């Protein structure tokens, strides 16, 4: 019995491409676009996408099989786990 090897992908042009852009709605792995969605932004990503990427990377991955520490990429997948993205956007309560 052979175990399938996870598919590898080429690195993204920008690390923030691992999350969806909330400004232009570019999907994971796609370049951001201009306001009319007629041209790709080839030099950078939107600030909103960069902020989301920093927020996701500063959160520990809650996936039981992964448990990637903050500032470390998720294991077993070339992208961030959906649970990590959700956890990054979930407000936490702080004790007084």
């Amino acid at each position: 019995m052979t175990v399938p090897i996870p598919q590898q992908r080429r690195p993204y042009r920008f690390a923030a491409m691992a999350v969806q852009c909330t400004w232009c709605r570019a999907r994971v792995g796609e370049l951001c676009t201009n306001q009319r969605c007629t041209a790709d932004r080839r030099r950078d990503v939107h600030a909103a996408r960069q902020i989301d990427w920093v927020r996701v990377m500063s959160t520990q991955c809650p996936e039981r099989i992964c448990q990637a520490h903050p500032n470390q990429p998720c294991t077993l997948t070339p992208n961030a786990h959906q649970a990590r993205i959700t956890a990054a956007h979930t407000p936490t309560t702080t004790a007084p």
Side-chain angles (χ1 to χ4, degrees), residues 14-90:
F14 307 106
M17 288 174 61
V19 296
Q20 181 177 359
C21 183
T22 56
W23 193 86
C24 69
R25 303 288 184 219
R27 293 181 179 165
V28 172
E30 293 179 356
L31 290 170
C32 287
T33 59
N34 64 359
Q35 223 171 2
R36 296 183 182 138
C37 296
T38 57
D40 292 336
R41 289 176 60 120
R42 298 188 181 278
R43 291 180 296 147
D44 59 355
V45 294
H46 289 114
R49 193 176 202 176
Q50 185 67 33
I51 291 167
D52 280 347
W53 171 245
V54 170
R55 184 178 294 141
V56 167
M57 288 305 293
S58 65
T59 305
Q60 181 169 349
C61 185
E63 284 287 332
R64 175 178 270 169
I65 197 167
C66 179
Q67 294 294 310
H69 295 287
N71 299 321
Q72 297 294 322
C74 283
T75 57
L76 304 174
T77 180
N79 296 320
H81 286 111
Q82 186 61 42
R84 187 175 193 177
I85 295 170
T86 303
H89 294 290
T90 304

Side-chain angles (χ1 to χ4, degrees), residues 1-9 75-78:
M1 178 179 239
T2 60
V3 177
I5 298 172
Q7 285 192 340
Q8 299 293 320
R9 65 158 173 78
T75 57
L76 304 174
T77 180

